[in-house]
Amino acid sequence: QGKLFASPNGNGEDCSEAAPCKITKAFTKLSSEKNILFLRGGIYKIERKLEVKASGTKNKPIIIESYPGEQAVLTAYATKQKVRAGNMAQAAIYIGGKENQYIHIRKLEIKNMGGNGILIMRSSNNKVEGCKIHNNFNTGISIYADIKGGSVADNNKIIDNIIYNNSDVGLNGTMNGRYYNNGDSADGISIVRGNTHYNKIVHNTVYNNSDDGIDVIISRNSYIAFNLTSKNGDPVVISG
């Protein structure tokens, strides 16, 4: 399996272990051949969303994770003023479209984003596992399909994450493509907007989020089990 390496101060061209590159460059190099990205420990300042444009397969997924024994921290240093101005990242990691599937994100810490920590939009067969996602200004992990039913977001798995202190208190209205409702938009985990099937939310610890701990709206056959939720706006909301 092909491996890529990034570090907070990386400046290599090939993203090798000996000469890691910037995280933005590493994301562009992900492919069916270079399918594993190790992020060396340290703090990565995220100025724009990191979009996964490659696709894996069931037997050979795209994997993005902290280097073994180290902790990669993705942060935007967002404030309410920056959110209103729109001059910072709206999400740390974005997976979008049916052509981008089988992406596994593991053992990352993500904080201070102007929107979501991780946003999965119209994409299926992805996994977020063992991450710590906190202090973002919208939902920690969001799964979206299409409210009109024209696309799907199926078979995504959210497993063994710790998600807390995500809050949009003090933010109102639509800004820079994100909707804020003074605390009523930032969930811990959400599956929203339509045509989603067979997503799994299992073994997560979710607390102190301003809206719901886990919010599932208009989603068929979602499996939600063995999660610990506390001190959220609401613990678990399932509707539609």
Side-chain angles (χ1 to χ4, degrees):
Q1 291 180 319
K3 296 179 178 65
L4 300 165
F5 297 83
S7 70
N9 298 310
N11 58 10
E13 289 298 320
D14 297 327
C15 303
S16 65
E17 186 169 13
C21 61
K22 294 181 179 179
I23 190 171
T24 50
K25 179 183 284 291
F27 266 70
T28 66
K29 287 182 173 291
L30 284 165
S31 68
S32 58
E33 297 302 319
K34 295 287 187 178
N35 67 305
I36 300 174
L37 170 56
F38 284 119
L39 302 181
R40 300 305 302 253
I43 296 174
Y44 295 78
K45 186 174 181 181
I46 306 303
E47 297 180 352
R48 62 183 186 273
K49 67 185 178 185
L50 298 166
E51 186 170 353
V52 183
K53 295 185 177 181
S55 186
T57 65
K58 183 177 181 179
N59 294 323
K60 190 179 181 182
I62 301 289
I63 299 173
I64 302 165
E65 66 179 335
S66 292
Y67 189 86
E70 300 180 6
Q71 182 64 65
V73 180
L74 280 57
T75 181
Y77 299 109
T79 64
K80 288 186 177 70
Q81 289 74 24
K82 286 185 177 181
V83 172
R84 291 188 180 99
N87 58 348
M88 34 62 66
Q90 290 297 309
I93 297 177
Y94 174 77
I95 302 170
K98 64 182 181 180
E99 66 278 9
N100 301 316
Q101 300 187 52
Y102 293 102
I103 315 299
H104 291 187
I105 300 169
R106 302 197 298 219
K107 299 181 180 179
L108 304 182
E109 181 176 353
I110 297 173
K111 62 182 181 178
N112 299 330
M113 297 296 135
N116 308 114
I118 296 173
L119 177 57
I120 299 171
M121 177 87 69
R122 299 185 294 274
S123 180
S124 300
N125 303 305
N126 305 294
K127 183 188 294 185
V128 182
E129 183 177 17
C131 294
K132 182 184 290 186
I133 301 176
H134 62 98
N135 292 92
N136 301 291
F137 283 95
N138 214 308
T139 298
I141 302 173
S142 286
I143 300 172
Y144 278 75
D146 189 332
I147 197 167
K148 296 181 181 179
S151 63
V152 299
D154 297 345
N155 298 308
N156 296 291
K157 297 177 177 64
I158 311 300
I159 302 172
D160 289 325
N161 302 282
I162 302 173
I163 303 171
Y164 61 96
N165 289 355
N166 299 290
S167 173
D168 65 326
V169 171
L171 295 168
N172 288 282
T174 300
M175 293 175 284
N176 312 297
R178 286 284 172 271
Y179 177 73
Y180 304 88
N181 191 26
N182 194 27
D184 288 338
S185 292
D187 303 311
I189 303 169
S190 65
I191 303 175
V192 297
R193 290 197 176 181
N195 201 20
T196 61
H197 304 77
Y198 302 104
N199 294 289
K200 291 186 177 181
I201 301 174
V202 183
H203 290 165
N204 301 282
T205 301
V206 186
Y207 62 94
N208 285 352
N209 300 287
S210 67
D211 198 12
D212 310 315
I214 299 172
D215 191 358
V216 179
I217 301 174
I218 318 174
S219 180
R220 298 181 180 90
N221 297 303
S222 293
Y223 181 76
I224 303 169
F226 309 111
N227 300 284
L228 295 176
T229 68
S230 64
K231 298 181 180 179
N232 302 289
D234 285 298
V236 179
V237 174
I238 300 174
S239 64

mmCIF file with all atom_site columns, all heavy atoms in Angstrom, residues 86-108:
data_model
loop_
_atom_site.group_PDB
_atom_site.id
_atom_site.type_symbol
_atom_site.label_atom_id
_atom_site.label_alt_id
_atom_site.label_comp_id
_atom_site.label_asym_id
_atom_site.label_entity_id
_atom_site.label_seq_id
_atom_site.pdbx_PDB_ins_code
_atom_site.Cartn_x
_atom_site.Cartn_y
_atom_site.Cartn_z
_atom_site.occupancy
_atom_site.B_iso_or_equiv
_atom_site.pdbx_formal_charge
_atom_site.auth_seq_id
_atom_site.auth_comp_id
_atom_site.auth_asym_id
_atom_site.auth_atom_id
_atom_site.pdbx_PDB_model_num
ATOM 1   N N   . GLY A 1 86  ? -16.061 35.301 7.871  1.00 0.00 ? 86  GLY A N   1
ATOM 2   C CA  . GLY A 1 86  ? -15.890 34.241 6.880  1.00 0.00 ? 86  GLY A CA  1
ATOM 3   C C   . GLY A 1 86  ? -14.469 34.015 6.432  1.00 0.00 ? 86  GLY A C   1
ATOM 4   O O   . GLY A 1 86  ? -14.223 33.363 5.419  1.00 0.00 ? 86  GLY A O   1
ATOM 5   N N   . ASN A 1 87  ? -13.496 34.516 7.187  1.00 0.00 ? 87  ASN A N   1
ATOM 6   C CA  . ASN A 1 87  ? -12.104 34.399 6.746  1.00 0.00 ? 87  ASN A CA  1
ATOM 7   C C   . ASN A 1 87  ? -11.369 33.272 7.453  1.00 0.00 ? 87  ASN A C   1
ATOM 8   O O   . ASN A 1 87  ? -10.233 33.396 7.861  1.00 0.00 ? 87  ASN A O   1
ATOM 9   C CB  . ASN A 1 87  ? -11.365 35.723 6.973  1.00 0.00 ? 87  ASN A CB  1
ATOM 10  C CG  . ASN A 1 87  ? -11.381 36.161 8.430  1.00 0.00 ? 87  ASN A CG  1
ATOM 11  O OD1 . ASN A 1 87  ? -12.127 35.596 9.236  1.00 0.00 ? 87  ASN A OD1 1
ATOM 12  N ND2 . ASN A 1 87  ? -10.567 37.137 8.762  1.00 0.00 ? 87  ASN A ND2 1
ATOM 13  N N   . MET A 1 88  ? -12.063 32.120 7.604  1.00 0.00 ? 88  MET A N   1
ATOM 14  C CA  . MET A 1 88  ? -11.409 30.951 8.191  1.00 0.00 ? 88  MET A CA  1
ATOM 15  C C   . MET A 1 88  ? -12.131 29.696 7.725  1.00 0.00 ? 88  MET A C   1
ATOM 16  O O   . MET A 1 88  ? -13.157 29.760 7.059  1.00 0.00 ? 88  MET A O   1
ATOM 17  C CB  . MET A 1 88  ? -11.382 31.046 9.724  1.00 0.00 ? 88  MET A CB  1
ATOM 18  C CG  . MET A 1 88  ? -12.573 31.715 10.390 1.00 0.00 ? 88  MET A CG  1
ATOM 19  S SD  . MET A 1 88  ? -14.121 30.890 10.110 1.00 0.00 ? 88  MET A SD  1
ATOM 20  C CE  . MET A 1 88  ? -13.772 29.398 10.981 1.00 0.00 ? 88  MET A CE  1
ATOM 21  N N   . ALA A 1 89  ? -11.570 28.555 8.046  1.00 0.00 ? 89  ALA A N   1
ATOM 22  C CA  . ALA A 1 89  ? -12.090 27.288 7.522  1.00 0.00 ? 89  ALA A CA  1
ATOM 23  C C   . ALA A 1 89  ? -13.477 26.992 8.074  1.00 0.00 ? 89  ALA A C   1
ATOM 24  O O   . ALA A 1 89  ? -13.730 27.126 9.269  1.00 0.00 ? 89  ALA A O   1
ATOM 25  C CB  . ALA A 1 89  ? -11.142 26.146 7.876  1.00 0.00 ? 89  ALA A CB  1
ATOM 26  N N   . GLN A 1 90  ? -14.389 26.570 7.195  1.00 0.00 ? 90  GLN A N   1
ATOM 27  C CA  . GLN A 1 90  ? -15.727 26.191 7.614  1.00 0.00 ? 90  GLN A CA  1
ATOM 28  C C   . GLN A 1 90  ? -15.804 24.740 8.079  1.00 0.00 ? 90  GLN A C   1
ATOM 29  O O   . GLN A 1 90  ? -16.707 24.363 8.803  1.00 0.00 ? 90  GLN A O   1
ATOM 30  C CB  . GLN A 1 90  ? -16.714 26.426 6.465  1.00 0.00 ? 90  GLN A CB  1
ATOM 31  C CG  . GLN A 1 90  ? -16.949 27.890 6.168  1.00 0.00 ? 90  GLN A CG  1
ATOM 32  C CD  . GLN A 1 90  ? -17.585 28.630 7.338  1.00 0.00 ? 90  GLN A CD  1
ATOM 33  O OE1 . GLN A 1 90  ? -18.592 28.212 7.884  1.00 0.00 ? 90  GLN A OE1 1
ATOM 34  N NE2 . GLN A 1 90  ? -16.982 29.730 7.732  1.00 0.00 ? 90  GLN A NE2 1
ATOM 35  N N   . ALA A 1 91  ? -14.892 23.924 7.640  1.00 0.00 ? 91  ALA A N   1
ATOM 36  C CA  . ALA A 1 91  ? -14.806 22.533 8.103  1.00 0.00 ? 91  ALA A CA  1
ATOM 37  C C   . ALA A 1 91  ? -13.356 22.106 7.982  1.00 0.00 ? 91  ALA A C   1
ATOM 38  O O   . ALA A 1 91  ? -12.623 22.601 7.119  1.00 0.00 ? 91  ALA A O   1
ATOM 39  C CB  . ALA A 1 91  ? -15.700 21.617 7.274  1.00 0.00 ? 91  ALA A CB  1
ATOM 40  N N   . ALA A 1 92  ? -12.935 21.219 8.844  1.00 0.00 ? 92  ALA A N   1
ATOM 41  C CA  . ALA A 1 92  ? -11.564 20.725 8.735  1.00 0.00 ? 92  ALA A CA  1
ATOM 42  C C   . ALA A 1 92  ? -11.442 19.767 7.559  1.00 0.00 ? 92  ALA A C   1
ATOM 43  O O   . ALA A 1 92  ? -10.592 19.940 6.682  1.00 0.00 ? 92  ALA A O   1
ATOM 44  C CB  . ALA A 1 92  ? -11.129 20.053 10.025 1.00 0.00 ? 92  ALA A CB  1
ATOM 45  N N   . ILE A 1 93  ? -12.290 18.736 7.536  1.00 0.00 ? 93  ILE A N   1
ATOM 46  C CA  . ILE A 1 93  ? -12.223 17.711 6.488  1.00 0.00 ? 93  ILE A CA  1
ATOM 47  C C   . ILE A 1 93  ? -13.580 17.590 5.833  1.00 0.00 ? 93  ILE A C   1
ATOM 48  O O   . ILE A 1 93  ? -14.604 17.465 6.512  1.00 0.00 ? 93  ILE A O   1
ATOM 49  C CB  . ILE A 1 93  ? -11.773 16.364 7.071  1.00 0.00 ? 93  ILE A CB  1
ATOM 50  C CG1 . ILE A 1 93  ? -10.348 16.488 7.631  1.00 0.00 ? 93  ILE A CG1 1
ATOM 51  C CG2 . ILE A 1 93  ? -11.829 15.272 5.998  1.00 0.00 ? 93  ILE A CG2 1
ATOM 52  C CD1 . ILE A 1 93  ? -9.832  15.230 8.285  1.00 0.00 ? 93  ILE A CD1 1
ATOM 53  N N   . TYR A 1 94  ? -13.577 17.635 4.514  1.00 0.00 ? 94  TYR A N   1
ATOM 54  C CA  . TYR A 1 94  ? -14.808 17.563 3.731  1.00 0.00 ? 94  TYR A CA  1
ATOM 55  C C   . TYR A 1 94  ? -14.729 16.375 2.774  1.00 0.00 ? 94  TYR A C   1
ATOM 56  O O   . TYR A 1 94  ? -13.773 16.243 2.005  1.00 0.00 ? 94  TYR A O   1
ATOM 57  C CB  . TYR A 1 94  ? -14.993 18.851 2.933  1.00 0.00 ? 94  TYR A CB  1
ATOM 58  C CG  . TYR A 1 94  ? -16.164 18.846 1.982  1.00 0.00 ? 94  TYR A CG  1
ATOM 59  C CD1 . TYR A 1 94  ? -17.464 19.020 2.444  1.00 0.00 ? 94  TYR A CD1 1
ATOM 60  C CD2 . TYR A 1 94  ? -15.973 18.666 0.615  1.00 0.00 ? 94  TYR A CD2 1
ATOM 61  C CE1 . TYR A 1 94  ? -18.544 19.020 1.575  1.00 0.00 ? 94  TYR A CE1 1
ATOM 62  C CE2 . TYR A 1 94  ? -17.041 18.658 -0.267 1.00 0.00 ? 94  TYR A CE2 1
ATOM 63  C CZ  . TYR A 1 94  ? -18.329 18.841 0.219  1.00 0.00 ? 94  TYR A CZ  1
ATOM 64  O OH  . TYR A 1 94  ? -19.387 18.832 -0.650 1.00 0.00 ? 94  TYR A OH  1
ATOM 65  N N   . ILE A 1 95  ? -15.723 15.510 2.845  1.00 0.00 ? 95  ILE A N   1
ATOM 66  C CA  . ILE A 1 95  ? -15.853 14.381 1.920  1.00 0.00 ? 95  ILE A CA  1
ATOM 67  C C   . ILE A 1 95  ? -17.165 14.589 1.181  1.00 0.00 ? 95  ILE A C   1
ATOM 68  O O   . ILE A 1 95  ? -18.227 14.601 1.793  1.00 0.00 ? 95  ILE A O   1
ATOM 69  C CB  . ILE A 1 95  ? -15.878 13.037 2.665  1.00 0.00 ? 95  ILE A CB  1
ATOM 70  C CG1 . ILE A 1 95  ? -14.614 12.861 3.514  1.00 0.00 ? 95  ILE A CG1 1
ATOM 71  C CG2 . ILE A 1 95  ? -16.024 11.882 1.679  1.00 0.00 ? 95  ILE A CG2 1
ATOM 72  C CD1 . ILE A 1 95  ? -14.681 11.680 4.462  1.00 0.00 ? 95  ILE A CD1 1
ATOM 73  N N   . GLY A 1 96  ? -17.106 14.776 -0.127 1.00 0.00 ? 96  GLY A N   1
ATOM 74  C CA  . GLY A 1 96  ? -18.320 15.133 -0.845 1.00 0.00 ? 96  GLY A CA  1
ATOM 75  C C   . GLY A 1 96  ? -18.470 14.427 -2.174 1.00 0.00 ? 96  GLY A C   1
ATOM 76  O O   . GLY A 1 96  ? -17.516 14.335 -2.952 1.00 0.00 ? 96  GLY A O   1
ATOM 77  N N   . GLY A 1 97  ? -19.655 13.906 -2.429 1.00 0.00 ? 97  GLY A N   1
ATOM 78  C CA  . GLY A 1 97  ? -19.964 13.349 -3.734 1.00 0.00 ? 97  GLY A CA  1
ATOM 79  C C   . GLY A 1 97  ? -19.854 11.844 -3.792 1.00 0.00 ? 97  GLY A C   1
ATOM 80  O O   . GLY A 1 97  ? -19.023 11.223 -3.137 1.00 0.00 ? 97  GLY A O   1
ATOM 81  N N   . LYS A 1 98  ? -20.720 11.239 -4.620 1.00 0.00 ? 98  LYS A N   1
ATOM 82  C CA  . LYS A 1 98  ? -20.744 9.786  -4.722 1.00 0.00 ? 98  LYS A CA  1
ATOM 83  C C   . LYS A 1 98  ? -19.468 9.217  -5.320 1.00 0.00 ? 98  LYS A C   1
ATOM 84  O O   . LYS A 1 98  ? -19.165 8.036  -5.159 1.00 0.00 ? 98  LYS A O   1
ATOM 85  C CB  . LYS A 1 98  ? -21.949 9.348  -5.558 1.00 0.00 ? 98  LYS A CB  1
ATOM 86  C CG  . LYS A 1 98  ? -21.917 9.808  -7.007 1.00 0.00 ? 98  LYS A CG  1
ATOM 87  C CD  . LYS A 1 98  ? -23.170 9.357  -7.743 1.00 0.00 ? 98  LYS A CD  1
ATOM 88  C CE  . LYS A 1 98  ? -23.154 9.795  -9.202 1.00 0.00 ? 98  LYS A CE  1
ATOM 89  N NZ  . LYS A 1 98  ? -24.367 9.358  -9.918 1.00 0.00 ? 98  LYS A NZ  1
ATOM 90  N N   . GLU A 1 99  ? -18.682 10.069 -6.008 1.00 0.00 ? 99  GLU A N   1
ATOM 91  C CA  . GLU A 1 99  ? -17.428 9.587  -6.590 1.00 0.00 ? 99  GLU A CA  1
ATOM 92  C C   . GLU A 1 99  ? -16.328 9.484  -5.537 1.00 0.00 ? 99  GLU A C   1
ATOM 93  O O   . GLU A 1 99  ? -15.255 8.931  -5.817 1.00 0.00 ? 99  GLU A O   1
ATOM 94  C CB  . GLU A 1 99  ? -16.972 10.517 -7.720 1.00 0.00 ? 99  GLU A CB  1
ATOM 95  C CG  . GLU A 1 99  ? -16.580 11.914 -7.289 1.00 0.00 ? 99  GLU A CG  1
ATOM 96  C CD  . GLU A 1 99  ? -17.762 12.857 -7.118 1.00 0.00 ? 99  GLU A CD  1
ATOM 97  O OE1 . GLU A 1 99  ? -18.922 12.389 -7.170 1.00 0.00 ? 99  GLU A OE1 1
ATOM 98  O OE2 . GLU A 1 99  ? -17.528 14.065 -6.923 1.00 0.00 ? 99  GLU A OE2 1
ATOM 99  N N   . ASN A 1 100 ? -16.550 10.008 -4.332 1.00 0.00 ? 100 ASN A N   1
ATOM 100 C CA  . ASN A 1 100 ? -15.568 9.944  -3.258 1.00 0.00 ? 100 ASN A CA  1
ATOM 101 C C   . ASN A 1 100 ? -16.134 9.099  -2.122 1.00 0.00 ? 100 ASN A C   1
ATOM 102 O O   . ASN A 1 100 ? -16.971 9.567  -1.340 1.00 0.00 ? 100 ASN A O   1
ATOM 103 C CB  . ASN A 1 100 ? -15.230 11.351 -2.756 1.00 0.00 ? 100 ASN A CB  1
ATOM 104 C CG  . ASN A 1 100 ? -14.681 12.231 -3.853 1.00 0.00 ? 100 ASN A CG  1
ATOM 105 O OD1 . ASN A 1 100 ? -13.840 11.791 -4.630 1.00 0.00 ? 100 ASN A OD1 1
ATOM 106 N ND2 . ASN A 1 100 ? -15.162 13.449 -3.953 1.00 0.00 ? 100 ASN A ND2 1
ATOM 107 N N   . GLN A 1 101 ? -15.690 7.852  -2.051 1.00 0.00 ? 101 GLN A N   1
ATOM 108 C CA  . GLN A 1 101 ? -16.220 6.907  -1.075 1.00 0.00 ? 101 GLN A CA  1
ATOM 109 C C   . GLN A 1 101 ? -15.082 6.123  -0.419 1.00 0.00 ? 101 GLN A C   1
ATOM 110 O O   . GLN A 1 101 ? -13.939 6.208  -0.826 1.00 0.00 ? 101 GLN A O   1
ATOM 111 C CB  . GLN A 1 101 ? -17.176 5.919  -1.752 1.00 0.00 ? 101 GLN A CB  1
ATOM 112 C CG  . GLN A 1 101 ? -18.374 6.546  -2.422 1.00 0.00 ? 101 GLN A CG  1
ATOM 113 C CD  . GLN A 1 101 ? -19.350 5.501  -2.910 1.00 0.00 ? 101 GLN A CD  1
ATOM 114 O OE1 . GLN A 1 101 ? -19.769 4.620  -2.154 1.00 0.00 ? 101 GLN A OE1 1
ATOM 115 N NE2 . GLN A 1 101 ? -19.715 5.567  -4.178 1.00 0.00 ? 101 GLN A NE2 1
ATOM 116 N N   . TYR A 1 102 ? -15.458 5.387  0.612  1.00 0.00 ? 102 TYR A N   1
ATOM 117 C CA  . TYR A 1 102 ? -14.510 4.530  1.330  1.00 0.00 ? 102 TYR A CA  1
ATOM 118 C C   . TYR A 1 102 ? -13.312 5.347  1.834  1.00 0.00 ? 102 TYR A C   1
ATOM 119 O O   . TYR A 1 102 ? -12.150 5.019  1.582  1.00 0.00 ? 102 TYR A O   1
ATOM 120 C CB  . TYR A 1 102 ? -14.059 3.366  0.454  1.00 0.00 ? 102 TYR A CB  1
ATOM 121 C CG  . TYR A 1 102 ? -15.172 2.387  0.160  1.00 0.00 ? 102 TYR A CG  1
ATOM 122 C CD1 . TYR A 1 102 ? -15.816 2.402  -1.079 1.00 0.00 ? 102 TYR A CD1 1
ATOM 123 C CD2 . TYR A 1 102 ? -15.597 1.472  1.110  1.00 0.00 ? 102 TYR A CD2 1
ATOM 124 C CE1 . TYR A 1 102 ? -16.854 1.521  -1.361 1.00 0.00 ? 102 TYR A CE1 1
ATOM 125 C CE2 . TYR A 1 102 ? -16.643 0.592  0.845  1.00 0.00 ? 102 TYR A CE2 1
ATOM 126 C CZ  . TYR A 1 102 ? -17.264 0.623  -0.391 1.00 0.00 ? 102 TYR A CZ  1
ATOM 127 O OH  . TYR A 1 102 ? -18.301 -0.250 -0.663 1.00 0.00 ? 102 TYR A OH  1
ATOM 128 N N   . ILE A 1 103 ? -13.621 6.423  2.559  1.00 0.00 ? 103 ILE A N   1
ATOM 129 C CA  . ILE A 1 103 ? -12.610 7.247  3.213  1.00 0.00 ? 103 ILE A CA  1
ATOM 130 C C   . ILE A 1 103 ? -12.662 6.940  4.707  1.00 0.00 ? 103 ILE A C   1
ATOM 131 O O   . ILE A 1 103 ? -13.728 7.034  5.329  1.00 0.00 ? 103 ILE A O   1
ATOM 132 C CB  . ILE A 1 103 ? -12.882 8.744  2.993  1.00 0.00 ? 103 ILE A CB  1
ATOM 133 C CG1 . ILE A 1 103 ? -13.240 9.052  1.530  1.00 0.00 ? 103 ILE A CG1 1
ATOM 134 C CG2 . ILE A 1 103 ? -11.703 9.578  3.483  1.00 0.00 ? 103 ILE A CG2 1
ATOM 135 C CD1 . ILE A 1 103 ? -12.185 8.728  0.538  1.00 0.00 ? 103 ILE A CD1 1
ATOM 136 N N   . HIS A 1 104 ? -11.537 6.587  5.298  1.00 0.00 ? 104 HIS A N   1
ATOM 137 C CA  . HIS A 1 104 ? -11.460 6.324  6.730  1.00 0.00 ? 104 HIS A CA  1
ATOM 138 C C   . HIS A 1 104 ? -10.618 7.413  7.391  1.00 0.00 ? 104 HIS A C   1
ATOM 139 O O   . HIS A 1 104 ? -9.462  7.625  6.998  1.00 0.00 ? 104 HIS A O   1
ATOM 140 C CB  . HIS A 1 104 ? -10.826 4.959  7.004  1.00 0.00 ? 104 HIS A CB  1
ATOM 141 C CG  . HIS A 1 104 ? -11.685 3.809  6.585  1.00 0.00 ? 104 HIS A CG  1
ATOM 142 N ND1 . HIS A 1 104 ? -11.358 2.499  6.879  1.00 0.00 ? 104 HIS A ND1 1
ATOM 143 C CD2 . HIS A 1 104 ? -12.849 3.749  5.904  1.00 0.00 ? 104 HIS A CD2 1
ATOM 144 C CE1 . HIS A 1 104 ? -12.292 1.690  6.371  1.00 0.00 ? 104 HIS A CE1 1
ATOM 145 N NE2 . HIS A 1 104 ? -13.200 2.439  5.793  1.00 0.00 ? 104 HIS A NE2 1
ATOM 146 N N   . ILE A 1 105 ? -11.182 8.080  8.390  1.00 0.00 ? 105 ILE A N   1
ATOM 147 C CA  . ILE A 1 105 ? -10.469 9.112  9.154  1.00 0.00 ? 105 ILE A CA  1
ATOM 148 C C   . ILE A 1 105 ? -10.322 8.599  10.571 1.00 0.00 ? 105 ILE A C   1
ATOM 149 O O   . ILE A 1 105 ? -11.319 8.278  11.235 1.00 0.00 ? 105 ILE A O   1
ATOM 150 C CB  . ILE A 1 105 ? -11.244 10.437 9.130  1.00 0.00 ? 105 ILE A CB  1
ATOM 151 C CG1 . ILE A 1 105 ? -11.414 10.913 7.680  1.00 0.00 ? 105 ILE A CG1 1
ATOM 152 C CG2 . ILE A 1 105 ? -10.527 11.501 9.956  1.00 0.00 ? 105 ILE A CG2 1
ATOM 153 C CD1 . ILE A 1 105 ? -12.375 12.054 7.527  1.00 0.00 ? 105 ILE A CD1 1
ATOM 154 N N   . ARG A 1 106 ? -9.085  8.539  11.061 1.00 0.00 ? 106 ARG A N   1
ATOM 155 C CA  . ARG A 1 106 ? -8.848  7.875  12.338 1.00 0.00 ? 106 ARG A CA  1
ATOM 156 C C   . ARG A 1 106 ? -7.889  8.673  13.218 1.00 0.00 ? 106 ARG A C   1
ATOM 157 O O   . ARG A 1 106 ? -6.896  9.221  12.749 1.00 0.00 ? 106 ARG A O   1
ATOM 158 C CB  . ARG A 1 106 ? -8.269  6.475  12.110 1.00 0.00 ? 106 ARG A CB  1
ATOM 159 C CG  . ARG A 1 106 ? -9.134  5.575  11.259 1.00 0.00 ? 106 ARG A CG  1
ATOM 160 C CD  . ARG A 1 106 ? -8.780  4.110  11.377 1.00 0.00 ? 106 ARG A CD  1
ATOM 161 N NE  . ARG A 1 106 ? -7.436  3.800  10.943 1.00 0.00 ? 106 ARG A NE  1
ATOM 162 C CZ  . ARG A 1 106 ? -7.099  2.697  10.247 1.00 0.00 ? 106 ARG A CZ  1
ATOM 163 N NH1 . ARG A 1 106 ? -8.047  1.824  9.905  1.00 0.00 ? 106 ARG A NH1 1
ATOM 164 N NH2 . ARG A 1 106 ? -5.865  2.460  9.912  1.00 0.00 ? 106 ARG A NH2 1
ATOM 165 N N   . LYS A 1 107 ? -8.212  8.741  14.496 1.00 0.00 ? 107 LYS A N   1
ATOM 166 C CA  . LYS A 1 107 ? -7.299  9.192  15.546 1.00 0.00 ? 107 LYS A CA  1
ATOM 167 C C   . LYS A 1 107 ? -6.769  10.608 15.323 1.00 0.00 ? 107 LYS A C   1
ATOM 168 O O   . LYS A 1 107 ? -5.609  10.898 15.600 1.00 0.00 ? 107 LYS A O   1
ATOM 169 C CB  . LYS A 1 107 ? -6.146  8.196  15.693 1.00 0.00 ? 107 LYS A CB  1
ATOM 170 C CG  . LYS A 1 107 ? -6.608  6.800  16.094 1.00 0.00 ? 107 LYS A CG  1
ATOM 171 C CD  . LYS A 1 107 ? -5.466  5.827  16.259 1.00 0.00 ? 107 LYS A CD  1
ATOM 172 C CE  . LYS A 1 107 ? -5.971  4.455  16.653 1.00 0.00 ? 107 LYS A CE  1
ATOM 173 N NZ  . LYS A 1 107 ? -4.884  3.456  16.797 1.00 0.00 ? 107 LYS A NZ  1
ATOM 174 N N   . LEU A 1 108 ? -7.636  11.496 14.842 1.00 0.00 ? 108 LEU A N   1
ATOM 175 C CA  . LEU A 1 108 ? -7.283  12.905 14.725 1.00 0.00 ? 108 LEU A CA  1
ATOM 176 C C   . LEU A 1 108 ? -7.989  13.710 15.804 1.00 0.00 ? 108 LEU A C   1
ATOM 177 O O   . LEU A 1 108 ? -9.046  13.319 16.296 1.00 0.00 ? 108 LEU A O   1
ATOM 178 C CB  . LEU A 1 108 ? -7.694  13.451 13.357 1.00 0.00 ? 108 LEU A CB  1
ATOM 179 C CG  . LEU A 1 108 ? -7.145  12.737 12.118 1.00 0.00 ? 108 LEU A CG  1
ATOM 180 C CD1 . LEU A 1 108 ? -7.625  13.450 10.856 1.00 0.00 ? 108 LEU A CD1 1
ATOM 181 C CD2 . LEU A 1 108 ? -5.632  12.662 12.150 1.00 0.00 ? 108 LEU A CD2 1
#
